[in-house]
Amino acid sequence: MGRTLLQLLLQIPPILLLFLIHYTLAQQAFLNSTIERSALLDLRSSLGLRGTDWPIKSDPCRTWNGVHCKNGRVTGISVSGFKRTRIGRLNPSFRVDSLVNLTFLEFFNASRFSLPGAIPSWLGYRLGSLQVLDLRFSSVSGSIPESIGSLTALNALYLSNNRLVGSIPSALGQLEKLSVLDLSRNSLTGQIPSAFGLLKNLSRLHVSSNYLSGPIPSSLGSISTLQFLDLSDNSLAASIPVELGNLSQLVELNFTRNSLSGSLPVEFAGLKSLQRLEIGDNGIEGGLPEGLFSSLDKLEVVDLSRNKIDSAVPGALLLLPNLLVLNLSDNNFTGTLPNVSSNGNSNGALFDISNNLLYGNLVAPFRHFSFIDLSGNYIQGKIPDGGQNNISLDRNCLQAVSNQKSLEDCKLFYDARGLSFDNVGAAEPIQPPLPEPAPKKRKRWIYILTGLVVGVAFIVLLVVVMVILLRKCDKRTNNQRGSANVGPVPEGDSLSVPKDPTIISSMRDSFTYDQLLSSTGAFSETNLIRHGHSGDLFRGFLDGGFPIVVKKVNICSKNESYTIELELFSKYSHTRLVPFLGHCSENENEKLLVYKYMLNGDLASSLYRLRDSVDDSLQSLDWITRLKIAIGTAEGLSYLHHECHPPVVHRDIQASSILLDDKFEVRIGSLSEARVQEGESHHSKITRFLRKPQSSEPGPSGSSSTSCAYDVYCFGKVLLELITGKLGISKSDDASTKEWLDHTLGYISIYDKELVTKIVDSSLMIDEDLLEEVWAMAIVARSCLNPKPSKRPPMKYILKALENPLKVVREESYSSGRLRATSSRRSWSTAFFGSWRHSSLDHAAIITNREGLSGLKQAGRVGSYGSSGIGHSSSNKKLSNDIFPEALEMQDMDQQDEH
């Protein structure tokens, strides 16, 4: 019988046999997961997951996104980035109680999925098989429960970018298998537990951007497997433990922005694998130990800025073979600068040794460096022949160079140290000779000329008064004649409108209600373009086929928007504003505004569109057109900000408010939210209408939405949409958008053009020349998105940057745009991007990951909510990676423009 069965099995085709085996295992899987299926359904309900992700009638192990099974048991769940249902969004919370029935669960990933609430304490007791717990960017609050220490199988714990408070439980030291521990960007307090020294398998420890205090535990030096240690942006005090020198596997060490004191341990010479050493913004004092850097030949980034180090600059430090970034600024380094100009290993390096006490002469040009900043020292003599386009030497004691220290300061410095000063430093300013008193005979002529000037001024004043009176008479005559009819404009984009904001009558009843009703098909749904926040937009055609757009203003919710737009268009006119044709106010309950129709719609609908009705593939705008749109939008905003008096803030710049005509020329619409900039003291009628009590709501990073800086921020997001092709960024300011911005801005660096290719829209065809333009626009976008409103560049300089993109990134701009311009009259590019170079070494503008990729590091503190690097910050600590112009530079530019 057994032999017969075996013969039958051998006769079954292999494919059918595999099917039978698979079916049997599937049946077994279903039988084993009955309880777990119920638990998954409960989790689906409690988290408000959508049916498209977890379809209720299908097998979770086979079709549910993010659910992983093994032998019929659920071993992993990932809801990372999922969206909740509408009902689920109404009351989101940390409701994962059904996980207790998934006893074989090895990983749970809810990163970037909102779980507001505290981590339940039972989680540590009931999920004994858990190996990975990932709750990054999940809005988790409360404290870290002690029970997490009971998850003995855990090897990765990610809790960064949340709202966690309280102290770090020492019980985490019991997680012997833990390899990654990331608690960064929260609001944790207290000390770092010394029990962390028991984590013998730990390779990454990140607790940056919290409020931790006390000393750095010396026990961390016993974790021989540690590769990445980031304790930056806290309030840690005391000296650096010498035991950390035992971490021979350490690749990155970051202690910036703390209150550490003492000297740099000589034991750090044992960090043979170290590539990044960042201890800026502390109180490190004394000298650098002899021979410390001789053995650290893998170092790529060294940041010791803003400390109290007072030794000479070690020659071994400057000669490190792989050094890319060195920042020793704002210390007390003294002595002469070692001669490193002939070191071929310095090619492309960025050195900042500014604001120290270096003296002596420059030995030779620094041609091998990408840039070196020696400003704010006491270097004397002449600049060596060959030029110094890649070096900043401001505020020194050099000959025949502008912007140097006074001769008196230089003498005092050299005399106090018993040094020889060549006495030919910066020349003292020459006082102009005092004017000689005028002879008595000339005084009479002065009196005569004064009398003539006064007489002419009186006559001019009379003429001006007469002109004003005549205009008032003409105005009365016009008012008596009745209102003028402002009909459609068949050709051209601009309309001649009254310049006096008090004259509304010239635009009153320019269209009849029946006329607009007929042109829009009685406002039919087929002619509806979209629902705007101030009213619905309808397509229509006047007699003769002239296309128009009619806005049916929502009087209930926006009862002032109708008047605001009328006032705005009556005062301001520009080719970059949407052509306004007229209005209709016959019906008290329906206010209508009429504009010229834009053939290509708005940027949101034109960035991608179907090629034709047959082919469903999308065609995207080419780069030339995208740059054209960016420049056109900047022109319109520059007009509102700098040519309108008082300045007007658009307040709603996004892809849907950037309209495009048949030639893709920009016409800015959605002007119903426009307001006069805060602080402007004008009392005209338009000012009273545009400045409303509700117009001061906070914008991004706490800035007021009635400031021009708010428009600049929104425009920065539009630029990123044009670069990346990711629509919807400019209209949103939620947590996910801020997370995306935080991630994307990390790929924008003035030192690495290739980084930007990681974020460029894949549908764009970009060659090498165009890539430089993309790179330049990305730099402009990052400048616009500065979290500090006062540091965002004005629109008129943004416009210049977009019109001259290659000036932003080409090598010659580096020579004219130093950290501190050597001329008192600086070019716009220097002032606009000068602070990029001033902070170029702030916490290492170059990042080198395992693949050797260079990029810009986001070193600034993010708020406790962990939204993004440009979001709201609940920390009083400064962002150290400001990349925007200083106020003095902006003043210089304004003066230059006036000339």
Side-chain angles (χ1 to χ4, degrees):
M1 179 67 179
R3 183 177 300 176
T4 304
L5 181 60
L6 179 61
Q7 292 175 348
L8 289 174
L9 289 174
L10 290 175
Q11 294 176 359
I12 297 177
I15 296 178
L16 182 57
L17 185 61
L18 289 174
F19 175 78
L20 291 174
I21 295 173
H22 179 75
Y23 178 77
T24 304
L25 292 176
Q27 287 296 104
Q28 184 66 28
F30 177 78
L31 293 174
N32 289 342
S33 63
T34 303
I35 297 176
E36 295 186 351
R37 176 182 174 83
S38 177
L40 288 174
L41 290 175
D42 290 341
L43 187 65
R44 178 184 185 273
S45 176
S46 63
L47 295 182
L49 301 181
R50 298 181 304 176
T52 54
D53 292 320
W54 285 17
I56 194 170
K57 294 184 179 180
S58 60
D59 183 0
C61 291
R62 292 182 178 181
T63 61
W64 285 19
N65 294 332
V67 175
H68 300 263
C69 300
K70 185 184 298 182
N71 297 327
R73 298 287 188 173
V74 177
T75 58
I77 294 177
S78 175
V79 294
S80 176
F82 281 19
K83 293 182 179 179
R84 294 178 183 265
T85 60
R86 183 181 61 82
I87 297 177
R89 290 194 299 268
L90 295 177
N91 187 27
S93 61
F94 205 126
R95 297 174 58 192
V96 294
D97 293 354
S98 56
L99 289 180
V100 298
N101 292 318
L102 304 178
T103 55
F104 288 83
L105 192 67
E106 296 178 357
F107 71 87
F108 180 66
N109 183 357
S111 61
R112 292 177 172 80
F113 182 84
S114 181
L115 291 174
I119 301 173
S121 58
W122 58 258
L123 192 146
Y125 299 125
R126 303 295 296 274
L127 300 180
S129 300
L130 200 63
Q131 298 177 17
V132 176
L133 178 60
D134 190 347
L135 300 176
R136 288 173 289 184
F137 294 99
S138 297
S139 303
V140 179
S141 59
S143 59
I144 302 173
E146 290 273 349
S147 63
I148 297 294
S150 300
L151 297 174
T152 55
L154 203 64
N155 58 50
L157 177 60
Y158 300 96
L159 299 177
S160 63
N161 293 276
N162 283 293
R163 308 174 185 179
L164 296 172
V165 297
S167 59
I168 302 174
S170 299
L172 296 185
Q174 302 171 14
L175 303 175
E176 297 180 355
K177 295 183 179 180
L178 199 64
S179 174
V180 178
L181 177 57
D182 188 354
L183 307 177
S184 60
R185 301 179 187 274
N186 283 286
S187 297
L188 300 171
T189 55
Q191 299 186 10
I192 299 175
S194 59
F196 279 2
L198 302 174
L199 302 174
K200 301 303 181 181
N201 292 302
L202 196 65
S203 63
R204 290 177 176 267
L205 176 59
H206 301 286
V207 293
S208 62
S209 299
N210 281 285
Y211 298 94
L212 301 173
S213 56
I216 298 174
S218 59
S219 60
L220 297 182
S222 63
I223 309 176
S224 60
T225 56
L226 198 60
Q227 297 180 3
F228 300 89
L229 178 60
D230 189 351
L231 312 181
S232 63
D233 197 14
N234 281 287
S235 300
L236 301 174
S239 59
I240 300 174
V242 298
E243 290 82 0
L244 297 185
N246 298 325
L247 302 176
S248 59
Q249 301 296 319
L250 197 65
V251 176
E252 295 185 9
L253 181 150
N254 191 344
F255 293 164
T256 56
R257 299 185 303 283
N258 279 288
S259 300
L260 301 173
S261 58
S263 60
L264 202 63
V266 67
E267 287 79 5
F268 271 19
L271 304 177
K272 305 294 185 180
S273 303
L274 198 63
Q275 297 178 12
R276 300 177 65 91
L277 174 64
E278 301 175 71
I279 316 182
D281 272 308
N282 279 283
I284 304 299
E285 54 193 359
L288 294 179
E290 286 292 332
L292 172 61
F293 295 99
S294 300
S295 60
L296 304 182
D297 56 358
K298 292 185 179 180
L299 272 175
E300 298 175 354
V301 174
V302 176
D303 182 5
L304 301 176
S305 62
R306 292 176 291 279
N307 280 290
K308 303 174 183 178
I309 305 173
D310 56 12
S311 66
V313 178
L317 174 58
L318 301 181
L319 294 172
L320 288 172
N322 296 303
L323 195 61
L324 297 174
V325 175
L326 174 64
N327 192 354
L328 304 180
S329 63
D330 297 285
N331 277 284
N332 296 315
F333 284 103
T334 188
T336 59
L337 186 67
N339 182 11
V340 295
S341 60
S342 60
N343 178 22
N345 292 326
S346 299
N347 285 340
L350 297 164
F351 281 15
D352 187 350
I353 318 179
S354 62
N355 300 320
N356 281 287
L357 304 174
L358 301 177
Y359 54 83
N361 298 78
L362 290 177
V363 179
F366 294 85
R367 293 193 183 96
H368 295 289
F369 294 88
S370 174
F371 197 88
I372 181 168
D373 186 4
L374 295 175
S375 61
N377 285 285
Y378 291 86
I379 298 171
Q380 64 174 341
K382 297 181 178 180
I383 297 178
D385 295 335
Q388 298 293 329
N389 292 333
N390 62 336
I391 184 171
S392 177
L393 294 168
D394 293 354
R395 304 188 316 281
N396 276 282
C397 302
L398 294 164
Q399 301 178 33
V401 179
S402 62
N403 197 19
Q404 299 295 295
K405 291 178 178 176
S406 68
L407 188 60
E408 181 182 358
D409 288 345
C410 295
K411 286 180 179 178
L412 289 174
F413 175 85
Y414 277 84
D415 291 344
R417 288 159 178 78
L419 300 171
S420 174
F421 181 53
D422 60 13
N423 224 18
V424 287
E428 292 283 9
I430 301 175
Q431 295 291 336
L434 295 175
E436 297 181 0
K440 292 183 179 180
K441 293 181 179 180
R442 296 174 59 187
K443 290 184 178 179
R444 184 172 58 184
W445 284 105
I446 293 175
Y447 296 147
I448 293 173
L449 291 174
T450 303
L452 287 174
V453 170
V454 171
V456 172
F458 180 73
I459 294 172
V460 171
L461 180 62
L462 286 177
V463 172
V464 171
V465 171
M466 292 178 64
V467 169
I468 293 174
L469 291 175
L470 288 173
R471 287 186 175 181
K472 286 187 176 180
C473 293
D474 291 341
K475 189 183 297 183
R476 290 197 188 116
T477 304
N478 290 335
N479 288 340
Q480 290 173 357
R481 291 175 182 173
S483 60
N485 180 26
V486 183
V489 180
E491 294 180 357
D493 290 335
S494 61
L495 180 70
S496 178
V497 296
K499 300 301 180 184
D500 189 345
T502 62
I503 302 178
I504 306 293
S505 59
S506 64
M507 304 179 71
R508 183 172 298 154
D509 300 330
S510 58
F511 292 93
T512 65
Y513 184 80
D514 290 336
Q515 184 182 9
L516 297 181
L517 194 68
S518 173
S519 66
T520 59
F523 300 108
S524 64
E525 287 292 327
T526 57
N527 287 324
L528 177 66
I529 299 175
R530 63 183 171 90
H531 298 287
H533 41 247
S534 62
D536 297 336
L537 299 175
F538 294 87
R539 181 186 297 103
F541 295 91
L542 297 176
D543 294 339
F546 183 79
I548 60 172
V549 171
V550 180
K551 180 192 286 186
K552 198 173 184 181
V553 179
N554 187 349
I555 299 298
C556 297
S557 61
K558 295 282 182 179
N559 52 9
E560 86 280 8
S561 64
Y562 174 75
T563 308
I564 285 175
E565 288 206 54
L566 279 182
E567 291 284 358
L568 187 70
F569 283 111
S570 70
K571 183 173 177 65
Y572 305 119
S573 177
H574 192 268
T575 55
R576 290 303 181 189
L577 301 183
V578 59
F580 179 69
L581 305 182
H583 72 292
C584 174
S585 59
E586 286 181 5
N587 192 334
E588 188 66 26
N589 297 322
E590 288 187 338
K591 304 296 183 182
L592 306 175
L593 298 171
V594 185
Y595 316 90
K596 182 180 178 182
Y597 177 76
M598 296 292 106
L599 184 63
N600 282 308
D602 56 37
L603 177 58
S605 60
S606 291
L607 190 60
Y608 300 98
R609 57 178 57 198
L610 292 175
R611 295 179 183 270
D612 50 57
S613 58
V614 178
D615 187 3
D616 289 337
S617 60
L618 294 177
Q619 180 180 14
S620 69
L621 295 181
D622 59 71
W623 173 250
I624 302 301
T625 305
R626 297 190 192 200
L627 180 59
K628 177 181 179 180
I629 292 170
I631 293 173
T633 308
E635 286 177 355
L637 290 176
S638 182
Y639 168 76
L640 293 176
H641 291 184
H642 303 293
E643 298 182 43
C644 294
H645 303 286
V648 175
V649 184
H650 187 281
R651 298 177 74 242
D652 192 28
I653 284 297
Q654 54 177 291
S656 62
S657 61
I658 299 173
L659 308 178
L660 305 170
D661 66 9
D662 56 340
K663 297 179 181 178
F664 288 95
E665 293 290 346
V666 169
R667 304 290 186 264
I668 296 178
S670 302
L671 290 159
S672 61
E673 298 293 323
R675 300 289 187 272
V676 169
Q677 179 170 243
E678 283 185 343
E680 299 296 329
S681 56
H682 289 256
H683 303 286
S684 64
K685 188 173 181 180
I686 187 170
T687 305
R688 294 196 301 272
F689 272 112
L690 297 185
R691 185 184 290 118
K692 295 293 180 179
Q694 70 272 25
S695 66
S696 299
E697 64 269 26
S701 301
S703 62
S704 170
S705 63
T706 49
S707 69
C708 292
Y710 177 79
D711 279 354
V712 172
Y713 181 90
C714 298
F715 180 66
K717 294 198 291 184
V718 171
L719 292 181
L720 285 186
E721 283 186 320
L722 291 170
I723 293 168
T724 65
K726 184 174 177 61
L727 290 171
I729 295 303
S730 60
K731 71 176 182 180
S732 175
D733 200 35
D734 56 17
S736 61
T737 300
K738 292 177 180 178
E739 293 164 13
W740 182 87
L741 288 172
D742 186 32
H743 173 76
T744 302
L745 293 178
Y747 292 98
I748 302 174
S749 166
I750 62 171
Y751 306 109
D752 194 337
K753 175 174 62 177
E754 297 302 322
L755 264 183
V756 80
T757 60
K758 304 289 184 180
I759 60 173
V760 173
D761 187 354
S762 58
S763 66
L764 285 174
M765 300 295 292
I766 301 295
D767 58 23
E768 186 64 20
D769 290 335
L770 292 183
L771 180 59
E772 287 194 326
E773 293 185 356
V774 176
W775 185 26
M777 186 188 288
I779 293 173
V780 174
R782 184 180 174 89
S783 300
C784 295
L785 293 168
N786 193 304
K788 296 181 180 179
S790 62
K791 296 290 186 178
R792 297 170 197 156
M795 282 305 306
K796 59 182 178 181
Y797 299 121
I798 295 171
L799 175 58
K800 287 184 178 181
L802 293 174
E803 289 175 336
N804 303 273
L806 297 185
K807 273 190 173 184
V808 177
V809 294
R810 288 279 171 91
E811 187 66 27
E812 54 263 31
S813 71
Y814 280 75
S815 62
S816 63
R818 305 174 187 170
L819 296 179
R820 300 280 185 181
T822 57
S823 171
S824 60
R825 297 185 64 185
R826 307 169 192 183
S827 66
W828 67 266
S829 61
T830 301
F832 190 93
F833 301 103
S835 56
W836 275 85
R837 300 172 183 91
H838 183 61
S839 62
S840 62
L841 307 167
D842 256 343
H843 311 292
I846 297 178
I847 292 178
T848 305
N849 62 15
R850 294 181 179 178
E851 291 77 21
L853 178 66
S854 296
L856 185 69
K857 180 176 181 182
Q858 296 278 340
R861 168 68 188 263
V862 186
S864 299
Y865 295 92
S867 55
S868 76
I870 58 172
H872 300 272
S873 175
S874 62
S875 170
N876 293 325
K877 303 176 184 178
K878 62 189 173 87
L879 287 168
S880 63
N881 59 340
D882 296 333
I883 56 174
F884 311 99
E886 298 175 358
L888 179 60
E889 291 174 324
M890 284 304 179
Q891 292 172 5
D892 290 343
M893 283 193 298
D894 291 334
Q895 293 172 2
Q896 183 176 349
D897 285 353
E898 290 174 2
H899 294 297

